[in-house]
Amino acid sequence: MGRFFVILVCCLLLSTLTNSSKPAIINPSQSVRDGETLLSDGGSFQLGFFNPANSTNQYLGLWFTKSPQTVLWVANRETPFTDRFGVLNITREGILILYSRSSNIVWLSNSSRTEENPVAELLESGNLVVREENDKNPANFLWQSFDYPCDTMLPGMRLGINFVTRLESSLSSWKTSEDPARGEFSLLLDPNGYPQLVLKKGNKTLARAGSWNGIRFTAQTTSTPDSISTSEFVLNEKEGYFVFGITSLGFPRLTLTPEGIPQRSIWNDRTHQWQFVEIAQLDICEHYSICGANAYCQINNSPICSCLDGFMPKSLRDWKLSNWSGGCVRRTPCSDKDRFENYSRMKLPDTSSSWYNKSTGLEECKEICLKNCSCTAYANLDVRGGGSGCLIWFGGLIDTRRSNGDGQDLYVRIAVSELENIEKKRPVDKKKQAVIIASSVILVLGLLIVGVISYTRKTYLRKNYNSEERTQDMELPWYDFSTIGHATNNFSSSNKLGEGGFGPVYKVNRSLILVQTI
Ligand SMILES: *[C@@H]1O[C@H](CO)[C@@H](O)[C@H](O)[C@H]1NC(C)=O
Ligand SMILES: *[C@@H]1O[C@H](CO)[C@@H](O)[C@H](O)[C@H]1NC(C)=O
Ligand SMILES: *[C@@H]1O[C@H](CO)[C@@H](O)[C@H](O)[C@H]1NC(C)=O
Ligand SMILES: *[C@@H]1O[C@H](CO)[C@@H](O)[C@H](O)[C@H]1NC(C)=O
Ligand SMILES: *[C@@H]1O[C@H](CO)[C@@H](O)[C@H](O)[C@H]1NC(C)=O
Ligand SMILES: *[C@@H]1O[C@H](CO)[C@@H](O)[C@H](O)[C@H]1NC(C)=O
Ligand SMILES: *[C@@H]1O[C@H](CO)[C@@H](O)[C@H](O)[C@H]1NC(C)=O
Ligand SMILES: *[C@@H]1O[C@H](CO)[C@@H](O)[C@H](O)[C@H]1NC(C)=O
C-alpha cells in the first residue's frame, strides 16, 4: 500500500515536471503556460517555452516534435523571459499576447482586423495562426507566424513581398546559437527591378542567389532541378515570393546560420537526424560585385576578373593590383547602331536596376534595349521551352560570373567597331594554328603531370583531413539529395568517415562530398 502511494506521488510529480501537451487550439478563455505545449493535429509540431543551450532565458517557440532541440520559430526573440512564469493568451480581438509574471506584455502579434470568435491554432504545417473559429480559409487568417519567419524557412512559407500590404517576409539569422535575437544576416527577396534573392549583412549585400529563371535561381549552376524539394517562384501585381514544398524524400527546411550561411537540410526519418544536403557555394566569385561593374568573374581564370568585351578597367593601376572593385567602363560611347555580344553560361547580373516583360520575345527585347542608351544588356526571363520573356539591364552590369557548368545566355551591348575587332581576331592562319596545337599538347601534358601530383597530394591531405581545411575551402558545389544518397549508399555507416563539428562526415563513391548532419 505504502509503495503504491510513493509511485502515485512520483507520477504526479513527473507530470508536473514534464511538458503536458494540449490540443492544437486555444481560445480567449485558455492559455499556454511555461511547461505546457500545444501539439498540432497530426502531431508533427509543438509550440511551447524553451531555453536555448547555455542560456537561462525562456522563449516561446515551435519545433518539429521529432527534433525538439531544433527550434524553427521564436515569438519573443528580442524579449526573453528570465523566469519560467511566461504565459501565452489570445485576446477577444484575436491578438496573441505573451505576459510576464507581473502581467506585463512581453510580446504581441499584430492584426489589422478583428473577428467575433478568434482562436489560435498550431497547424500541421508548423504555422501558428489566428483565425475565426469556424473559418479555416488561409486567405482569412488574422495573423500567421509564416508571415514573420525567424531563421528558418519551412515548406509552404513564402519568402518575399506583398506589394499591396507591403509585408516583407525574410529570414534573419540568430545573433548566436544561444540567442535568437535578430542577428546581422538576412536572406530576402529584393523587390527592385526583377526581384532577386539576396544575402545581406546589415544593409550590405554579401551575395546573390539571383533571379528566378523558371527552373532555379540563376546563381545555382547545377543543371538538374532541385530534387529535395519542389521550388516555385510566384510573381504578379499583388505579390512576389519564393516557396518550396515537401517531396517523398522527407521534410525540408532552409536555415540561415548565425554565421550567415544558408543551409538546407531534410529530416531523415530513418536516421532521426536533420541531414544537411547542400551548403551554399561561397567561392570568391560569389562575393557580391567582386569584379565591379561591367566585368565578370571566372573562378579558374587568372586573374579571376575580366572586363566584358568593349570595356576597359576604370583604373588600370587598381586593376593590376587585383583591386577590381572599380570595374570597367565602355571604350567607345554608346550609339543606336550598337550590336550585342552573346555570352553563354553566365550568372545574370544584379537585376536591381532592370526592367522585364513576361510576354516580350527576345528579338523585340533587343529592339527595346537598343533604343535606350542606358540599356546595357538583355536576356530571356524564363529559360523553359527554349526561352521566353524579356529582361533588360540599365547602367553597370554588376556581379556576373561565367560558370563551367550551367548558366544563361546574356546579350551585352557593344559598339560595332569593337565587335568587328573581336571577330577579326578569331580566324587564325594555318601556321599560327599549328603553333597553337603544338603548345596545347605541351600544355595538356603539363596539366596532366600537375594533376597527378596534386591528386596524390590531395589523397594524402584527405587522410589528414581536419576541420580547418573545411572552413578554408568553402568551395562546395550544390549537390542534390538523391545524388548524395546514391553516392553514400544511403548514408550507410560503412561510408561514414567520422564526426566533424557539425556531425557525421560521409565518404562518397566517386569523389569526396561533405554531407553534414546534426
Ligand atoms: C490569460 O488567460 C487565462 C485563461 O483565460 C487567464 O486566467 C489569465 O488571467 C489571462 N492573463 C492575463 C494577463 O490576461
Ligand atoms: C555551451 O557552453 C560550452 C562551454 O562554454 C560549449 O562548449 C558549448 O559548445 C556550448 N553549447 C552551445 C550549443 O553553444
Ligand atoms: C504592427 O503593425 C504596425 C502597423 O500596422 C506596425 O507599425 C508594426 O511594426 C507591427 N508590429 C509587428 C511586430 O509586426
Ligand atoms: C548602412 O549602414 C551603415 C551603418 O549602419 C550606414 O552608415 C549607411 O549609411 C547605411 N547605408 C545605406 C545605403 O543605408
Ligand atoms: C580599390 O579601389 C577603389 C577605387 O576604385 C578604392 O576606393 C579602394 O580604396 C581600393 N581598395 C584597396 C584595398 O586598395
Ligand atoms: C547564343 O549562344 C548560345 C550558345 O552558343 C546559343 O545557343 C544561342 O542560340 C545564341 N543566341 C543567339 C541569339 O544567337
Ligand atoms: C509587355 O509586352 C506585351 C507584348 O509585347 C505588351 O502588350 C505589354 O504592354 C507589355 N507590358 C509592359 C508593362 O510594357
Ligand atoms: C531609358 O531608360 C531609363 C531607365 O529606365 C529611363 O529613365 C529613360 O527615360 C529612358 N530613356 C528613353 C529615351 O526612353
Side-chain angles (χ1 to χ4, degrees):
M1 186 65 197
R3 220 159 101 201
F4 182 70
F5 183 71
V6 170
I7 290 170
L8 192 74
V9 170
C10 281
C11 287
L12 280 174
L13 263 174
L14 261 178
S15 69
T16 55
L17 285 176
T18 53
N19 282 356
S20 58
S21 277
K22 294 188 162 187
I25 300 182
I26 60 164
N27 63 34
S29 66
Q30 296 161 323
S31 58
V32 181
R33 291 173 191 287
D34 197 330
E36 297 174 332
T37 57
L38 286 188
L39 187 67
S40 67
D41 246 354
S44 290
F45 288 91
Q46 272 183 325
L47 175 88
F49 291 82
F50 74 97
N51 63 312
N54 289 353
S55 162
T56 53
N57 288 337
Q58 290 289 115
Y59 299 87
L60 180 79
L62 66 85
W63 53 86
F64 205 42
T65 309
K66 290 169 184 165
S67 171
Q69 300 308 320
T70 311
V71 175
L72 305 171
W73 180 77
V74 183
N76 54 323
R77 64 188 301 196
E78 309 285 346
T79 49
F81 294 100
T82 49
D83 59 27
R84 301 207 51 179
F85 295 99
V87 54
L88 174 72
N89 279 20
I90 175 168
T91 67
R92 303 209 172 272
E93 292 74 41
I95 295 172
L96 290 171
I97 300 186
L98 272 177
Y99 289 109
S100 70
R101 184 182 205 170
S102 47
S103 291
N104 286 332
I105 296 176
V106 166
W107 172 88
L108 54 91
S109 71
N110 232 351
S111 174
S112 46
R113 288 185 298 128
T114 56
E115 290 283 358
E116 283 288 295
N117 297 303
V119 293
E121 180 179 13
L122 178 60
L123 300 181
E124 186 55 10
S125 58
N127 193 4
L128 175 66
V129 307
V130 176
R131 59 175 177 83
E132 161 67 32
E133 194 171 11
N134 300 314
D135 189 352
K136 293 194 171 183
N137 181 356
N140 298 332
F141 289 162
L142 294 174
W143 182 89
Q144 55 179 334
S145 63
F146 269 20
D147 282 341
Y148 303 92
C150 292
D151 66 342
T152 303
M153 187 172 168
L154 300 176
M157 205 180 240
R158 295 170 174 193
L159 193 71
I161 183 162
N162 184 315
F163 302 121
V164 181
T165 61
R166 302 308 296 173
L167 181 74
E168 285 184 55
S169 300
S170 58
L171 296 188
S172 52
S173 65
W174 285 23
K175 245 190 187 125
T176 66
S177 59
E178 295 154 25
D179 184 359
R182 189 177 284 268
E184 288 181 290
F185 300 97
S186 56
L187 189 67
L188 56 103
L189 198 71
D190 174 1
N192 298 310
Y194 188 55
Q196 55 182 346
L197 197 62
V198 296
L199 175 65
K200 288 192 161 191
K201 181 178 185 180
N203 58 15
K204 192 167 165 267
T205 302
L206 291 184
R208 290 185 312 124
S211 53
W212 187 257
N213 67 12
I215 299 174
R216 60 178 172 270
F217 289 101
T218 56
Q220 278 171 286
T221 45
T222 52
S223 51
T224 47
D226 198 345
S227 63
I228 79 157
S229 60
T230 54
S231 301
E232 197 189 348
F233 180 68
V234 174
L235 182 65
N236 52 44
E237 297 77 45
K238 238 188 96 220
E239 55 196 345
Y241 62 86
F242 163 58
V243 66
F244 61 79
I246 305 179
T247 64
S248 56
L249 281 164
F251 184 85
R253 68 178 170 129
L254 169 66
T255 305
L256 186 59
T257 69
E259 296 77 32
I261 298 172
Q263 281 186 331
R264 304 230 352 236
S265 54
I266 190 164
W267 178 259
N268 187 328
D269 256 333
R270 273 193 308 107
T271 59
H272 299 284
Q273 281 180 325
W274 289 102
Q275 226 125 36
F276 284 77
V277 287
E278 164 191 282
I279 297 172
Q281 178 183 345
L282 291 174
D283 61 27
I284 189 159
C285 284
E286 284 306 313
H287 286 233
Y288 179 71
S289 194
I290 181 96
C291 298
N294 307 314
Y296 61 92
C297 194
Q298 194 161 7
I299 193 74
N300 39 15
N301 271 12
S302 182
I304 52 168
C305 294
S306 319
C307 287
L308 290 162
D309 288 329
F311 291 81
M312 59 185 182
K314 193 168 179 188
S315 155
L316 196 59
R317 190 173 171 275
D318 284 345
W319 195 266
K320 281 183 175 162
L321 292 171
S322 298
N323 176 0
W324 304 290
S325 62
C328 305
V329 289
R330 249 182 94 117
R331 262 198 288 255
T332 50
C334 155
S335 115
D336 56 5
K337 303 269 180 328
D338 281 345
R339 303 264 182 81
F340 289 93
E341 188 181 353
N342 182 357
Y343 289 83
S344 52
R345 306 192 319 269
M346 297 295 272
K347 169 186 174 182
L348 297 184
D350 189 334
T351 49
S352 57
S353 67
S354 68
W355 175 91
Y356 66 95
N357 186 330
K358 284 180 186 172
S359 45
T360 304
L362 208 55
E363 199 51 40
E364 199 186 338
C365 194
K366 177 180 168 180
E367 297 306 319
I368 296 170
C369 187
L370 205 54
K371 276 188 204 137
N372 188 332
C373 254
S374 34
C375 178
T376 44
Y378 70 93
N380 263 145
L381 201 57
D382 195 319
V383 295
R384 288 174 297 182
S388 67
C390 168
L391 180 56
I392 65 181
W393 281 264
F394 298 106
L397 301 171
I398 294 164
D399 194 43
T400 179
R401 73 182 291 181
R402 196 157 207 178
S403 79
N404 302 315
D406 228 35
Q408 260 178 269
D409 297 335
L410 175 70
Y411 304 91
V412 179
R413 188 178 198 126
I414 185 171
V416 181
S417 58
E418 296 280 1
L419 197 60
E420 279 168 355
N421 278 344
I422 297 163
E423 275 159 5
K424 242 184 257 159
K425 279 184 203 150
R426 264 180 204 146
V428 277
D429 59 53
K430 289 267 166 352
K431 211 164 138 193
K432 261 192 195 156
Q433 245 170 11
V435 173
I436 289 171
I437 290 170
S439 51
S440 310
V441 170
I442 293 166
L443 186 74
V444 166
L445 274 175
L447 283 177
L448 258 173
I449 293 162
V450 171
V452 168
I453 292 169
S454 79
Y455 178 75
T456 28
R457 213 176 98 81
K458 264 194 193 142
T459 325
Y460 171 78
L461 278 177
R462 249 171 234 167
K463 283 186 192 140
N464 298 281
Y465 175 83
N466 61 38
S467 61
E468 217 173 83
E469 184 192 352
R470 195 183 60 205
T471 47
Q472 278 166 12
D473 185 1
M474 292 287 281
E475 248 176 74
L476 298 175
W478 306 64
Y479 292 100
D480 63 76
F481 190 69
S482 56
T483 313
I484 290 176
H486 272 295
T488 57
N489 267 331
N490 282 328
F491 305 101
S492 89
S493 50
S494 62
N495 280 48
K496 198 160 148 180
L497 289 174
E499 300 261 344
F502 285 96
V505 175
Y506 293 87
K507 179 178 168 291
V508 302
N509 294 335
R510 226 161 12 120
S511 62
L512 193 83
I513 303 176
L514 285 173
V515 182
Q516 300 181 322
T517 56
I518 49 165

